[in-house]
Each structure stands twice: as C-alpha cells, then as structure tokens.
Amino acid sequence: MVRNIVILGGNSHPKLVDSLCNILGVPACNRVLGRFECGESRCEIKDSVRGKDVYIIQTGFGGNGAKLNDHFMDLCIMISACKTGSARRVTAVLPLFPYSRQPDLPYHKAGAPLYKTPSVDSSKKDYTFESVPATPGPGLPKSAGLTNGTELTSRLKSTLTNGTGPSAAANGKSTGEGYFPVNGVDDTKGANGVNGANGVNGVNGVNGVNGYVNGINGHRGHSSSVSSQSAKYTTHDYENVSLITSFQARPGYKQWVAQAGTLVANLLTCAGADHVITMDLHDPQVQGFFDVPVDNLYGRPLLKRYITQNIPDYKSAIIVSPDAGGAKRATAIADSLEMDFALIHKERRPTKITDRQNASMMLVGNVADRVCILLDDIVDTGNTLTRAAKLLKREGATKIYALLTHGVFSGDAISRINASALDKVIVTNSVPQDEHKALLGPKLEVLDISPIFGEAIRRVHHGESISVLFNFD
Amino acid sequence: MSAEMANEVKLISGRSHPELSDKIAKRLGIEVARTISLNYSNQETSFTVGESVRDEDVFIIQSTATGDVNEGLMELLIIISACRTASARRITAVIPNFPYARQDKKDKSRAPISARLVANMLQTAGANHIVTVDLHASQIQGFFSVPVDNLYAEPSFLRYIRENFNPEDCVIVSPDAGGAKRATSIADHLKTAFALIHKERPRPNVVGRMVLVGSVEDKVAILVDDMADTCGTLVKAAAVLKENGAKSVLALVTHGILSGNAIETLNGSCLSALIVTNTVPLGDKVERCPKLRVIDISPTIAEAIRRTHNGESVSYLFTHAPV
C-alpha cells in the first residue's frame, strides 16, 4: 500500500492500469473519460488529487475505440486537469512514447515508405528475402499467405515482364532529378509523392520485382493481375489516395516531413507534466527534448530473462540486430549473456548514380544451422523484421525468434508476420496485445511490464533511486 | 535582410476543411501551399512540406471536423511546429471554429480548462497569431499571450436578415441567457424586438425546461446562437416559440457542428430553416437536411488575412461583411 498516490488511467491500456493498481495496492482514480458527440474529449476526475502524487498511465497506441491522437489529447487534458486540481506532482507514464520514432525505415528519409528494389535473379526458384509477402488491402479479398515463395516467383516473373518495361520508360527522364516527382505520383503506392521520385528504380531493369516495389508508374493499368492488386497497397496504407496523387512538391524544393518528437515533448510539459516515465525510447535523444526529468526504463531484463528461460540451449543461439541502428541494443544483451552476435546491414551506398535507391540487405556474421534471435525495440508494420527473417532463413537459420519491446503491429503487420519465416514473436504489453494475440495465436508471446513500471512508480514516489531497475536481471 | 525581400502569404491547409481553404485562396488570388498531411498506419500524423516557407507569412487554416477534433488539433500543432522549424517569419493559425471552446472554465472540481490547454499548446507549438470566428466566450482570448483576432459572423447575419426578411416582422431570440449579448447586438442593429429563453440544463447535451421571456406573437422568430451541436436546445427553443405564437421560427448559427443525430432532430423539428456559416466542414449534411442553409464566411476570413498581412486594421470587419 502506497500512500498519497493517485493512479489515473487513460483509455488506451486499461489492463495495464489494473495490474499497476494491483501491484501498488491502490484503487485506480475514479474518473469519467470519454468523448462528446462533437468529438471533443470529456474528462472529469472524481477523486480529489489535492497535494497528491499523480501518475497518469496512457500508452501511445490507438485503440479501444479511439485514435492515437485522441489518447494523446486525453493525456494532456488529464495532466492539465490534475494540475489545476492542485496535484503536488503529475507524472505521465507512457510505456510507448507516441511520435518517438523519427520515421526512418521503412520510411524513406523524406517520410515515405522505402520500397526496396532488390536485385532479383528471376530464374532462382527459392524465395528471396527482398520480396515482401503480398498482403491484402482494405476492401480486397484476402489472398492466401505466401508459402515459401513458389507462388511469389511466378508473380515476380509476371511483374517483371509487366512492370519494369513501362516504368523504365516512364521514369527514364526522371533519373537525374532525384527527389522531385516529375512523374506525377502513381496511384498505386500513392504513398507520398516521394516514391514517384524514386524514378531511378525503373531504370535498372532488375527492379520491379514484386508488387511492392516501385514499379512506379509502370503498374498503373495492370489492374487485372494479382500482383498489381497487391501493388495498390503498401506497408503504409495511407488513407486519402486521391489527395496524395495530387501532391507534388514545388519544383526545386526538396520535400521533407515534419518531426513531431520535440513538439510532443513540449506539449506534455506545457500541459503540466512534472515527470515522464517511458520505456525503450526508439531514440534515447528524445529524453533531451524535455525540460523535465524523463525516466527511460528498459525492457531488456525481461527479454533477457525470456532468452535464458525459454530458449533451449540459448548459449549456442545467435543474437541478430535487424538493422545497424539497433546494434547497440542487441550487442548489450549479447554481451551480457555471452552470446554470439550478427548484424543485418542495409547497403545503401550508391554504386552508380542511377542506383542510389537500390539498397540490399546483407548479413554480417554466420547464422547457418543456428537458432537466431532478432532483437529490436519496436515492430510497427513488421517490414524490417519479416525481411530480416527471410534473409536469416536463406542464410540457413534453423529457428527464428523475434524479441521486441513494443509490438504495435499496425497496418498489415499481423498478416505479414503470419506469412513470414518468423517462428516466434515475443513482445511486451507496453501496448494492449489481446487483439494481436488473438490473431497471431501461439506465434506471439507477451511479457508483462507492469512489475517494472509498478516498481518504478513506487521508487519515484518514495524518492528512491530507480537506476537499479536499469541493470537488474 | 532587405525590406524588399519577398514576404508573401503562404496559405497552408489542414485536412479538416480544404473547401474553405480553397475559397480563401481563390479570394486572395493565391494558391494553397503544396503540403500534405497523412496518417501513418500506426495512426501517427505526418506532415510533408513541399515548398519553402522561409521568411514567409504563413497562415494555417484548420477547422475542427465534427468527430475528429483531436486529429485536427494534433495536425494543426504539427503543421505549426513544422513551419517554425522551417523558419517562417510569422505563423498565424486560422481556426474558424476554436476547439474545446466550451470547456473554458472550472465549473466543477477538477474540471479541465481544456480551452486554455489548447491555447497553451498552440503557443507552445509556435503560433504567433490566432484568427478565429465567434469564440464561444471572448474571454478565451485572455488565455493567449499572442494576439487573437476574433472575427464575427454578425455582419454576414445582418446582411442575410436584411436581404431575406423585413426586420420589422422579426424578433431576435436568444436560446439561452449566455447568448443574450450576441442576440441583443443583432436586435439593436436591426432595430427589432428581442426575446430570451431561459433554460435549465441538468447535464451537458441534455436540455431541461424552457421559459420564454418576451413576446414573439405573429412574428418571425430568429434564434441566434454561436453553435449548433446536437441541436437539442435549438429544437426545443423553436417548439417553445411556436407555442408562444411565433409565425415561423428560424435559427442563425455561426458554427454548425451538428454532431450525433442533429440532422434527424432538425428534420423532425418545427424550425423552418437553420442558417449556418461554413466555419465547420458540413460534408453531406446539406443534402441530408433541406432546412440547412450555408452562408459563406470565407470573404471575411480572407479579408482578415489580407489585412493582417498588410498590417492594416481588422476592426472594420467587426461591423462590415466583405461582399
């Protein structure tokens, strides 16, 4: 039983709120939190918070009948209500920090999804790691999941014949133009305009590959084939396709995407948050956006415990980081468990000027006949992860685990993972996982973070050091 | 920096009300800036800038679409902050319908003053100036430490009444005590009678008993209010006015939020017409409700933008509606 503390839960993760209250031995604060019919948030805090230490639990995840931005506004309104209600201190607890991921991969650096243009040897019967499994789009009948690429290969062929020719022709003129979408953005990936810019791809002839690749304008008009159907939808299925297709940056201006990380940090402090507790920030630099203390907890101990307790003969397994950015995270665990480490590297150095969009993935390290453990902080659309899994399988991995802190599984991630070479996906409940669990079944395993957060809240409340949580095993 | 350097109006449109932005842009004779807002599949909002705003006078037009208030607000904040990062000279948020304007006071213990929160958020994001229309309570201007231009739909309403009715036959009615000032101002300008309906409101969005103060017999009763949300108040008020002998009842409202079952409520009511401005995107509501008529407010907003940009006085617009 902790005194003088108020746990106020948002609507984004009621289960976590319940278990935190259980751990701390206090009832959750009585509140009304909903929405007026006009769409404005409605918040009434029923219990007194005067002079109390208030912890507001809201994760950065859209769900439970509201969108991500609704939850975020709710959080700000709750913070502000507690502040005006004379709370002594208000701490925002955000297990998953919203807008923390500065869009990198699979986004283009200008914010667009990055469609890899693999160098495919179309005569190869084996499936390639570069190809992305076809995923159904909204309103389309679901296609059967891909099984090891036999079907894919035929698709690749058809796309190659259909797609590349016209796209190469159409895009030839844009090669020198870099980012400016002179081609008019294509309705298929529509995506964002930036793609149109990748005109470069079409030229290489080898590209085109599966439906996802930037066949760019080439795919337009092939509405009958399966591959062009899947080409209509991308890892990031933007809502308003007609709007996107009409968008073009002003010639001579390189378009860019706003980064909301600093803004979100400022908004939280402006609402009145005195302290922020979060977990496994995608960029630890986000901590520096705040003027108030930020405690960035680690999911690492949980993941480590899972490895040691649930993976048979883990010492002979190998830890793999799916991209260079996560290498530090992965090596930290590999070191402390004295395991081997491998890295998947995305080669993006241009070999020739027309080739600069061509990235290839390569594996640094040997995974043949070994169990692989992919480690990352977040799975969103699952693009990076499933592609990494394919590469590992191709390199001879026997079994592939993926351990992640935040399982967002947005867009078509679930079907993508179901169709992938991943044998097991382990995530924490930093966002609600019930729905994902129902869809992924035994493939998904969920670790409970509430003990970590409960302990952090208890220690912060009592003014004890929480650094012990950072290196506890 | 030389004073001759180009410093132009950049009009950026959020997703909530592109029609209004287009009208304003047309009126100003400029193009809406090339930007695009999207939602990633994880529901985070992303904003792409497709042209330079460096050292420009940026006006961001974002209304609040009914049901999507928070989305629109976050998008607006992200756009503002993006423009600030991109070195805009001045950032003016044009918010025709100010979100959370009704949550403007601590009327209960621990009630959030969300309007102030929104004001703080806008300033935190980097807005240098706010332009809005018919704030629910003009005190909200005090929540800001940057200038707020609160435009009025009143001149447009006055013109509409003069064009369509004989002011002698009309009575201006305020549906609640809070709106009495707004209604009396219109009544004074038209030199007509004024009446007021007193209502008891037990809970939000629920309408209690209503009492008419004043006479509406054999007159055209014109209800005047700043927003029509669920329309419960308006429809009940209309019924009270009919009971008290009004010839016909219509309503002039600035913000047609019309959430929930508002359209059905209106269609089944004794209101002969509901006239709103286009501060809020109406979608297909005009088709669904034959009683709904729309006054275009874009000339007023466009003129305010022009005057703000040129450093001219805006107060002329408080009494005159541009043609």
Side-chain angles (χ1 to χ4, degrees):
Chain A
M1 171 84 189
V2 188
R3 282 171 216 283
N4 233 12
I5 192 171
V6 173
I7 304 291
L8 178 56
N11 286 332
S12 60
H13 203 342
K15 271 200 160 171
L16 182 68
V17 177
D18 286 348
S19 48
L20 281 176
C21 288
N22 269 334
I23 289 170
L24 295 165
V26 289
C29 179
N30 197 0
R31 94 296 195 257
V32 177
L33 186 62
R35 224 151 292 289
F36 288 111
E37 278 189 281
C38 62
E40 292 178 1
S41 301
R42 170 185 180 183
C43 166
E44 286 171 37
I45 295 165
K46 300 285 192 188
D47 297 336
S48 170
V49 296
R50 187 174 296 271
K52 297 276 176 64
D53 198 7
V54 183
Y55 293 83
I56 305 178
I57 324 284
Q58 183 83 291
T59 194
F61 180 74
N64 293 333
K67 295 181 188 154
L68 175 93
N69 288 335
D70 288 323
H71 287 315
F72 181 71
M73 271 309 289
D74 286 355
L75 173 65
C76 291
I77 290 174
M78 283 190 287
I79 294 174
S80 154
C82 290
K83 267 288 169 190
T84 47
S86 310
R88 184 166 58 84
R89 182 170 65 169
V90 180
T91 305
V93 181
L94 298 132
L96 171 57
F97 195 86
Y99 291 95
S100 64
R101 198 157 69 122
Q102 315 276 315
D104 45 0
L105 285 171
Y107 311 115
H108 190 272
K109 68 175 161 197
L114 184 63
Y115 300 94
K116 285 295 179 295
T117 49
S119 51
V120 158
D121 179 9
S122 56
S123 65
K124 209 167 168 186
K125 289 283 177 273
D126 208 351
Y127 73 101
T128 59
F129 73 90
E130 293 93 347
S131 53
V132 181
T135 39
L140 283 180
K142 282 198 174 176
S143 63
L146 277 179
T147 49
N148 286 1
T150 38
E151 188 195 350
L152 182 70
T153 316
S154 56
R155 267 188 217 184
L156 293 182
K157 279 183 175 161
S158 73
T159 324
L160 272 173
T161 45
N162 292 341
T164 21
S167 71
N171 292 300
K173 63 178 189 290
S174 73
T175 41
E177 314 258 359
Y179 291 104
F180 312 117
V182 276
N183 289 334
V185 185
D186 120 55
D187 52 320
T188 60
K189 54 226 35 121
N192 34 50
V194 193
N195 262 314
N198 298 347
V200 252
N201 296 330
V203 186
N204 294 330
V206 267
N207 310 328
V209 189
N210 68 37
Y212 282 95
V213 190
N214 310 332
I216 310 219
N217 299 330
H219 286 300
R220 219 180 246 168
H222 304 285
S223 53
S224 55
S225 75
V226 190
S227 65
S228 64
Q229 273 199 345
S230 59
K232 288 218 162 181
Y233 297 97
T234 62
T235 42
H236 292 274
D237 181 23
Y238 294 124
E239 282 165 14
N240 196 340
V241 176
S242 62
L243 195 77
I244 297 155
T245 49
S246 65
F247 173 69
Q248 281 186 10
R250 196 167 285 280
Y253 188 76
K254 182 179 162 185
Q255 63 186 26
W256 54 282
V257 172
Q259 305 287 345
T262 325
L263 174 72
V264 167
N266 288 341
L267 292 179
L268 285 174
T269 37
C270 130
D274 299 304
H275 194 135
V276 174
I277 302 179
T278 181
M279 183 178 244
D280 276 354
L281 280 172
H282 184 73
D283 294 313
Q285 286 82 353
V286 171
Q287 223 166 337
F289 296 169
F290 282 91
D291 295 329
V292 297
V294 177
D295 285 318
N296 184 19
L297 305 176
Y298 295 122
R300 201 183 291 155
L302 279 176
L303 303 182
K304 239 154 93 177
R305 194 188 307 150
Y306 183 89
I307 294 175
T308 52
Q309 294 181 353
N310 295 284
I311 297 180
D313 194 16
Y314 73 90
K315 287 274 184 193
S316 62
I318 182 163
I319 302 247
V320 185
S321 171
D323 59 13
K328 221 174 159 184
R329 244 186 308 267
T331 44
I333 294 193
D335 281 353
S336 67
L337 292 177
E338 292 172 341
M339 293 169 69
D340 284 341
F341 172 72
L343 174 86
I344 292 170
H345 172 57
K346 288 181 189 113
E347 176 71 64
R348 255 183 289 185
R349 228 174 310 150
T351 43
K352 46 182 186 272
I353 187 77
T354 53
D355 205 23
R356 64 168 166 176
Q357 290 298 320
N358 281 341
S360 61
M361 273 173 133
M362 49 192 189
L363 181 72
V364 185
N366 186 11
V367 298
D369 300 322
R370 296 178 83 172
V371 174
C372 289
I373 303 170
L374 278 162
L375 266 177
D376 207 351
D377 62 333
I378 188 165
V379 51
D380 186 354
T381 55
N383 199 14
T384 315
L385 205 62
T386 47
R387 286 156 48 87
K390 277 186 184 176
L391 175 59
L392 293 177
K393 263 271 145 68
R394 199 185 63 173
E395 298 287 333
T398 52
K399 200 167 182 196
I400 303 170
Y401 292 85
L403 267 74
L404 311 122
T405 311
H406 307 295
V408 177
F409 301 113
S410 71
D412 46 24
I414 297 276
S415 42
R416 192 185 283 273
I417 284 170
N418 262 330
S420 77
L422 289 165
D423 294 298
K424 200 116 192 157
V425 180
I426 298 103
V427 297
T428 72
N429 60 349
S430 63
V431 300
Q433 296 292 355
D434 293 351
E435 241 173 79
H436 305 150
K437 183 79 189 156
L439 290 166
L440 277 170
K443 217 173 200 186
L444 183 76
E445 233 167 280
V446 182
L447 308 174
D448 189 14
I449 55 160
S450 48
I452 297 184
F453 273 90
E455 184 62 14
I457 291 175
R458 199 190 62 76
R459 282 171 180 267
V460 169
H461 176 65
H462 289 302
E464 295 168 21
S465 162
I466 68 160
S467 56
V468 66
L469 287 176
F470 296 152
N471 41 26
F472 115 114
D473 282 307
Chain B
M1 185 189 3
S2 72
E4 291 82 45
M5 248 184 89
N7 173 238
E8 291 168 12
V9 174
K10 284 273 176 197
L11 208 61
I12 296 181
S13 172
R15 266 179 298 178
S16 65
H17 204 345
E19 298 85 11
L20 183 68
S21 311
D22 286 344
K23 279 184 179 153
I24 293 173
K26 209 171 164 204
R27 178 103 189 166
L28 290 170
I30 56 174
E31 273 179 33
V32 176
R34 299 187 184 190
T35 60
I36 189 162
S37 311
L38 303 162
N39 273 22
Y40 288 133
S41 50
N42 62 1
Q43 302 186 352
E44 288 180 359
T45 306
S46 115
F47 176 67
T48 308
V49 186
E51 67 180 77
S52 172
V53 296
R54 183 174 296 273
D55 231 355
E56 306 281 22
D57 198 5
V58 177
F59 291 83
I60 303 160
I61 296 168
Q62 178 79 310
S63 179
T64 43
T66 306
D68 255 347
V69 174
N70 294 333
E71 287 285 316
L73 184 57
M74 256 331 259
E75 187 184 319
L76 174 64
L77 293 169
I78 290 171
I79 297 175
I80 294 174
S81 125
C83 291
R84 192 171 66 161
T85 332
S87 315
R89 178 178 291 187
R90 178 173 62 176
I91 302 163
T92 307
V94 181
I95 317 166
N97 176 27
F98 196 82
Y100 291 96
R102 279 171 290 183
Q103 298 183 30
D104 56 352
K105 56 194 165 298
K106 199 172 161 181
D107 46 6
K108 280 180 276 218
S109 302
R110 299 175 294 279
I113 309 173
S114 307
R116 194 200 53 182
L117 176 68
V118 172
N120 287 343
M121 285 176 140
L122 287 168
Q123 291 174 95
T124 303
N128 306 116
H129 194 138
I130 310 289
V131 174
T132 181
V133 180
D134 273 349
L135 273 177
H136 184 62
S138 52
Q139 287 85 343
I140 290 173
Q141 291 178 77
F143 294 160
F144 285 92
S145 52
V146 297
V148 179
D149 284 323
N150 183 19
L151 303 172
Y152 299 107
E154 188 188 282
S156 309
F157 285 166
L158 287 172
R159 185 194 296 148
Y160 183 88
I161 296 173
R162 288 202 180 103
E163 280 172 2
N164 292 280
F165 303 96
N166 178 8
E168 316 250 299
D169 294 341
C170 298
V171 183
I172 306 295
V173 186
S174 172
D176 58 15
K181 219 171 160 187
R182 198 173 285 118
T184 46
S185 167
I186 290 186
D188 286 351
H189 278 105
L190 294 170
K191 300 190 177 63
T192 60
F194 164 77
L196 178 126
I197 290 172
H198 173 68
K199 72 175 171 190
E200 290 143 11
R201 189 195 280 267
R203 268 172 312 178
N205 287 356
V206 178
V207 184
R209 207 166 56 90
M210 289 185 151
V211 189
L212 177 70
V213 184
S215 164
V216 293
E217 248 186 291
D218 294 326
K219 297 265 186 149
V220 177
I222 302 177
L223 282 159
V224 174
D225 208 348
D226 64 333
M227 56 177 76
D229 191 346
T230 51
C231 290
T233 313
L234 277 182
V235 166
K236 270 222 167 174
V240 171
L241 293 172
K242 269 277 185 212
E243 278 165 30
N244 283 278
K247 234 187 329 190
S248 67
V249 185
L250 55 140
L252 275 167
V253 176
T254 312
H255 307 297
I257 298 169
L258 306 176
S259 68
N261 296 323
I263 297 297
E264 289 72 34
T265 315
L266 277 177
N267 282 337
S269 75
C270 60
L271 266 179
S272 59
L274 172 66
I275 299 107
V276 298
T277 69
N278 56 352
T279 51
V280 183
L282 291 165
D284 61 346
K285 284 170 189 159
V286 180
E287 284 93 72
R288 278 162 58 208
C289 179
K291 293 178 179 178
L292 195 62
R293 268 165 242 164
V294 184
I295 300 177
D296 187 10
I297 195 82
S298 64
T300 306
I301 298 176
E303 185 61 16
I305 290 176
R306 198 190 62 75
R307 284 168 181 258
T308 308
H309 175 67
N310 293 334
E312 297 167 23
S313 164
V314 174
S315 52
Y316 175 82
L317 295 174
F318 297 164
T319 45
H320 297 79
V323 190

